[in-house]
Amino acid sequence: MRWCTTSNEEQNKCKDFKVELEKIDNATTPACVKADNAVECMKKISNGDADLITLDGGDVYKAGNSHIAV
């Protein structure tokens, strides 16, 4: 599981999440992937370099139109 983040705050949350998740299941190895913005994260997901992202409503719309194959 690779969570793509777009800010230092998100990166810190991801790292904290990773620590807590490893306490529950040490076989899980989540990673935090940094990008400049949500569009770059969507590209990383499309390219297989990331798996998850937190999006706002506008970015969800962009993702639906540009990065999700139907």
Side-chain angles (χ1 to χ4, degrees):
M1 173 177 58
R2 298 161 295 176
W3 182 9
C4 190
T5 64
T6 59
S7 68
N8 291 332
E9 293 81 11
E10 278 189 346
Q11 190 73 7
N12 290 336
K13 284 182 189 178
C14 182
K15 289 176 183 177
D16 291 344
F17 176 66
K18 178 179 176 176
V19 168
E20 293 304 316
L21 190 57
E22 288 173 341
K23 288 178 185 177
I24 298 167
D25 179 6
N26 63 6
T28 303
T29 55
C32 305
V33 178
K34 186 84 162 64
D36 292 331
N37 54 54
V39 172
E40 291 301 315
C41 274
M42 289 180 238
K43 289 178 184 175
K44 286 182 181 287
I45 291 170
S46 292
N47 293 335
D49 298 324
D51 303 302
L52 305 167
I53 183 175
T54 302
L55 297 173
D56 67 23
D59 289 330
V60 169
Y61 179 79
K62 288 179 196 174
N65 284 329
S66 301
H67 297 281
I68 297 176
V70 187

